[in-house]
Amino acid sequence: MDGSALVVYPIFNERPSEEYIQGWHRHMDETGSPETYENVSTNKPDALENVVLLSGELQVPPAKRLGNRLVPCPICSPTTPKFSKGRMAWFPDEQTVRFIGHDCAARHFGENYRIADRRYKIEQRCRFYQHMWRNFEPRIDGLEQFIDALMPVAKAVQFTREHLDGNADGFAAFLRGELSRHDGRIFIKEDTGARDRGQIIFSDVLLGVVDGLTFISRNFRPHSTLLSILDVCADIRMPLPTWQPIDGDNDTAKEIIGRGRRAEWMLKTLRSLRDDIQDATQFLRDKNLALLEQWGRNDQSPFISLVFRWEGIGVHLRAETYVGAYYCNMVVLDDFYGKPIPSALSPALDPLTSTPV
């Protein structure tokens, strides 16, 4: 391309429409030539301030380009091939749009580019959360029903854990520290009968695996977490404020991003919390407690003595360890095992993984 072939179209006195930008994307995907889309300027811009980025970093499909496989950069190399990855940009002071090399723009625009990139990321987050809110609308009832189904077991599990912490403070942390070394696997050393220069050779023998370690995990409070999740659901039922990209990084954008992040936290937490609750209920199973007592009788365990078993409708704990003694008659509510735990969160209820509405 020679200098005479450069074009300028100063017709964009407003931000290009979404239809125009989508058409620009399609043209690039189909032809590999984003610079040839209608009304795209290819000359060097005079005003580098106030640039507005209209896309993220886009990889141009080189196989679809005629001739040269690189795109000329209107910033530093408007007549010769330069880059294969760039961004769509609007120059409001010149009322033009260009496809610019992202590295060149960052180098030549300096702080102006960093500001534009930050604004674009804010715009994308706002758009994402607006879309997520629309997807929430037909699903929020189902999400709350899923939460309600988890609530009885979560409340019972938290009650028992708090009862343990209140009466045998430090035991959960002590046991967690001992068991987390091998992800719940308990090993004891056995004499192999072999000797090396008179030294006994030991082998590690697996005594068993303790299930349900979530029950003794740090700050495990599933009922409190579900209540916080319900608070977020109540907020999701309230519409987001009206915002458009032209509004920029205003208080409305900050509100949308703040509420959107809370909604993302809610979904991420809810996906894992159901599995955590189910895992926690395994900790007080007879087989699990029997394994811990068996370990406690072994001279290699951290226990001087350990009684940890069901007695009636509760669990009796009496432990002497090298760091102290612990005692608790743990109260276990009926819902600990009496209520079914729902299946994993259905993808159809997840606005981030289900088909957009």
mmCIF file of all heavy atoms in Angstrom, residues 314-333:
data_model
loop_
_atom_site.group_PDB
_atom_site.id
_atom_site.type_symbol
_atom_site.label_atom_id
_atom_site.label_comp_id
_atom_site.label_asym_id
_atom_site.label_seq_id
_atom_site.Cartn_x
_atom_site.Cartn_y
_atom_site.Cartn_z
ATOM 1 N N GLY A 314 -25.586 -38.762 70.025
ATOM 2 C CA GLY A 314 -24.475 -37.830 69.873
ATOM 3 C C GLY A 314 -23.157 -38.556 69.741
ATOM 4 O O GLY A 314 -23.091 -39.789 69.728
ATOM 5 N N VAL A 315 -22.090 -37.782 69.630
ATOM 6 C CA VAL A 315 -20.752 -38.341 69.468
ATOM 7 C C VAL A 315 -19.904 -37.922 70.662
ATOM 8 O O VAL A 315 -19.813 -36.736 70.993
ATOM 9 C CB VAL A 315 -20.097 -37.860 68.158
ATOM 10 C CG1 VAL A 315 -18.646 -38.332 68.079
ATOM 11 C CG2 VAL A 315 -20.886 -38.371 66.955
ATOM 12 N N HIS A 316 -19.308 -38.904 71.295
ATOM 13 C CA HIS A 316 -18.481 -38.657 72.478
ATOM 14 C C HIS A 316 -17.018 -38.560 72.053
ATOM 15 O O HIS A 316 -16.491 -39.427 71.360
ATOM 16 C CB HIS A 316 -18.649 -39.791 73.494
ATOM 17 C CG HIS A 316 -17.779 -39.639 74.696
ATOM 18 N ND1 HIS A 316 -17.938 -38.630 75.603
ATOM 19 C CD2 HIS A 316 -16.714 -40.388 75.126
ATOM 20 C CE1 HIS A 316 -17.029 -38.749 76.560
ATOM 21 N NE2 HIS A 316 -16.277 -39.816 76.288
ATOM 22 N N LEU A 317 -16.376 -37.476 72.478
ATOM 23 C CA LEU A 317 -14.956 -37.266 72.195
ATOM 24 C C LEU A 317 -14.203 -37.083 73.504
ATOM 25 O O LEU A 317 -14.571 -36.249 74.339
ATOM 26 C CB LEU A 317 -14.764 -36.020 71.323
ATOM 27 C CG LEU A 317 -13.319 -35.486 71.226
ATOM 28 C CD1 LEU A 317 -12.430 -36.468 70.468
ATOM 29 C CD2 LEU A 317 -13.299 -34.112 70.566
ATOM 30 N N ARG A 318 -13.161 -37.878 73.686
ATOM 31 C CA ARG A 318 -12.226 -37.679 74.791
ATOM 32 C C ARG A 318 -10.843 -37.989 74.249
ATOM 33 O O ARG A 318 -10.544 -39.117 73.865
ATOM 34 C CB ARG A 318 -12.551 -38.584 75.974
ATOM 35 C CG ARG A 318 -11.685 -38.282 77.210
ATOM 36 C CD ARG A 318 -12.081 -39.081 78.449
ATOM 37 N NE ARG A 318 -11.823 -40.500 78.282
ATOM 38 C CZ ARG A 318 -12.758 -41.424 78.124
ATOM 39 N NH1 ARG A 318 -14.049 -41.074 78.086
ATOM 40 N NH2 ARG A 318 -12.440 -42.708 77.981
ATOM 41 N N ALA A 319 -10.019 -36.949 74.182
ATOM 42 C CA ALA A 319 -8.707 -37.117 73.560
ATOM 43 C C ALA A 319 -7.628 -36.496 74.428
ATOM 44 O O ALA A 319 -7.792 -35.393 74.960
ATOM 45 C CB ALA A 319 -8.698 -36.463 72.175
ATOM 46 N N GLU A 320 -6.523 -37.222 74.553
ATOM 47 C CA GLU A 320 -5.314 -36.675 75.167
ATOM 48 C C GLU A 320 -4.223 -36.685 74.106
ATOM 49 O O GLU A 320 -3.961 -37.721 73.482
ATOM 50 C CB GLU A 320 -4.891 -37.514 76.365
ATOM 51 C CG GLU A 320 -5.821 -37.427 77.565
ATOM 52 C CD GLU A 320 -5.255 -38.168 78.770
ATOM 53 O OE1 GLU A 320 -4.088 -37.885 79.123
ATOM 54 O OE2 GLU A 320 -5.976 -39.019 79.312
ATOM 55 N N THR A 321 -3.626 -35.531 73.883
ATOM 56 C CA THR A 321 -2.605 -35.392 72.849
ATOM 57 C C THR A 321 -1.366 -34.744 73.446
ATOM 58 O O THR A 321 -1.360 -34.314 74.604
ATOM 59 C CB THR A 321 -3.117 -34.522 71.692
ATOM 60 O OG1 THR A 321 -3.112 -33.145 72.112
ATOM 61 C CG2 THR A 321 -4.531 -34.909 71.287
ATOM 62 N N TYR A 322 -0.340 -34.633 72.617
ATOM 63 C CA TYR A 322 0.904 -34.019 73.096
ATOM 64 C C TYR A 322 0.768 -32.511 73.267
ATOM 65 O O TYR A 322 1.656 -31.873 73.844
ATOM 66 C CB TYR A 322 2.056 -34.351 72.142
ATOM 67 C CG TYR A 322 1.871 -33.847 70.729
ATOM 68 C CD1 TYR A 322 2.252 -32.551 70.371
ATOM 69 C CD2 TYR A 322 1.328 -34.664 69.741
ATOM 70 C CE1 TYR A 322 2.096 -32.100 69.083
ATOM 71 C CE2 TYR A 322 1.166 -34.216 68.451
ATOM 72 C CZ TYR A 322 1.545 -32.928 68.116
ATOM 73 O OH TYR A 322 1.380 -32.476 66.843
ATOM 74 N N VAL A 323 -0.352 -31.928 72.809
ATOM 75 C CA VAL A 323 -0.539 -30.480 72.996
ATOM 76 C C VAL A 323 -1.631 -30.171 74.017
ATOM 77 O O VAL A 323 -1.822 -29.006 74.379
ATOM 78 C CB VAL A 323 -0.879 -29.778 71.661
ATOM 79 C CG1 VAL A 323 0.268 -29.908 70.687
ATOM 80 C CG2 VAL A 323 -2.181 -30.308 71.065
ATOM 81 N N GLY A 324 -2.359 -31.166 74.463
ATOM 82 C CA GLY A 324 -3.402 -30.914 75.442
ATOM 83 C C GLY A 324 -4.512 -31.940 75.366
ATOM 84 O O GLY A 324 -4.494 -32.865 74.538
ATOM 85 N N ALA A 325 -5.506 -31.789 76.246
ATOM 86 C CA ALA A 325 -6.638 -32.719 76.308
ATOM 87 C C ALA A 325 -7.898 -32.030 75.798
ATOM 88 O O ALA A 325 -8.079 -30.817 75.939
ATOM 89 C CB ALA A 325 -6.836 -33.201 77.738
ATOM 90 N N TYR A 326 -8.781 -32.842 75.206
ATOM 91 C CA TYR A 326 -10.023 -32.323 74.643
ATOM 92 C C TYR A 326 -11.169 -33.240 75.065
ATOM 93 O O TYR A 326 -11.028 -34.471 75.069
ATOM 94 C CB TYR A 326 -9.949 -32.266 73.110
ATOM 95 C CG TYR A 326 -8.785 -31.461 72.580
ATOM 96 C CD1 TYR A 326 -7.589 -32.096 72.230
ATOM 97 C CD2 TYR A 326 -8.879 -30.079 72.429
ATOM 98 C CE1 TYR A 326 -6.520 -31.371 71.735
ATOM 99 C CE2 TYR A 326 -7.812 -29.345 71.939
ATOM 100 C CZ TYR A 326 -6.641 -29.996 71.585
ATOM 101 O OH TYR A 326 -5.580 -29.277 71.118
ATOM 102 N N TYR A 327 -12.307 -32.604 75.352
ATOM 103 C CA TYR A 327 -13.476 -33.392 75.762
ATOM 104 C C TYR A 327 -14.728 -32.718 75.216
ATOM 105 O O TYR A 327 -14.879 -31.481 75.304
ATOM 106 C CB TYR A 327 -13.566 -33.488 77.282
ATOM 107 C CG TYR A 327 -14.782 -34.241 77.767
ATOM 108 C CD1 TYR A 327 -14.767 -35.632 77.864
ATOM 109 C CD2 TYR A 327 -15.952 -33.558 78.103
ATOM 110 C CE1 TYR A 327 -15.879 -36.331 78.292
ATOM 111 C CE2 TYR A 327 -17.073 -34.255 78.531
ATOM 112 C CZ TYR A 327 -17.036 -35.638 78.623
ATOM 113 O OH TYR A 327 -18.140 -36.331 79.038
ATOM 114 N N CYS A 328 -15.634 -33.516 74.651
ATOM 115 C CA CYS A 328 -16.886 -32.959 74.145
ATOM 116 C C CYS A 328 -17.889 -34.080 73.911
ATOM 117 O O CYS A 328 -17.537 -35.138 73.376
ATOM 118 C CB CYS A 328 -16.653 -32.205 72.827
ATOM 119 S SG CYS A 328 -18.145 -31.453 72.126
ATOM 120 N N ASN A 329 -19.140 -33.854 74.343
ATOM 121 C CA ASN A 329 -20.253 -34.699 73.931
ATOM 122 C C ASN A 329 -20.982 -33.944 72.822
ATOM 123 O O ASN A 329 -21.806 -33.076 73.079
ATOM 124 C CB ASN A 329 -21.190 -34.981 75.105
ATOM 125 C CG ASN A 329 -20.632 -36.054 76.019
ATOM 126 O OD1 ASN A 329 -20.121 -37.067 75.547
ATOM 127 N ND2 ASN A 329 -20.727 -35.842 77.324
ATOM 128 N N MET A 330 -20.631 -34.269 71.598
ATOM 129 C CA MET A 330 -21.114 -33.503 70.449
ATOM 130 C C MET A 330 -22.591 -33.771 70.193
ATOM 131 O O MET A 330 -23.009 -34.930 70.034
ATOM 132 C CB MET A 330 -20.293 -33.846 69.201
ATOM 133 C CG MET A 330 -18.810 -33.497 69.340
ATOM 134 S SD MET A 330 -17.781 -34.244 68.048
ATOM 135 C CE MET A 330 -18.496 -33.506 66.591
ATOM 136 N N VAL A 331 -23.362 -32.699 70.125
ATOM 137 C CA VAL A 331 -24.785 -32.803 69.802
ATOM 138 C C VAL A 331 -24.925 -32.843 68.285
ATOM 139 O O VAL A 331 -24.417 -31.970 67.575
ATOM 140 C CB VAL A 331 -25.565 -31.610 70.380
ATOM 141 C CG1 VAL A 331 -27.027 -31.687 69.962
ATOM 142 C CG2 VAL A 331 -25.433 -31.582 71.899
ATOM 143 N N VAL A 332 -25.605 -33.866 67.795
ATOM 144 C CA VAL A 332 -25.814 -34.033 66.356
ATOM 145 C C VAL A 332 -27.309 -33.967 66.086
ATOM 146 O O VAL A 332 -28.067 -34.848 66.510
ATOM 147 C CB VAL A 332 -25.227 -35.369 65.853
ATOM 148 C CG1 VAL A 332 -25.417 -35.482 64.334
ATOM 149 C CG2 VAL A 332 -23.747 -35.480 66.230
ATOM 150 N N LEU A 333 -27.729 -32.915 65.378
ATOM 151 C CA LEU A 333 -29.155 -32.747 65.075
ATOM 152 C C LEU A 333 -29.623 -33.797 64.072
ATOM 153 O O LEU A 333 -28.845 -34.329 63.274
ATOM 154 C CB LEU A 333 -29.402 -31.342 64.525
ATOM 155 C CG LEU A 333 -29.003 -30.164 65.431
ATOM 156 C CD1 LEU A 333 -29.302 -28.842 64.737
ATOM 157 C CD2 LEU A 333 -29.724 -30.247 66.767
#
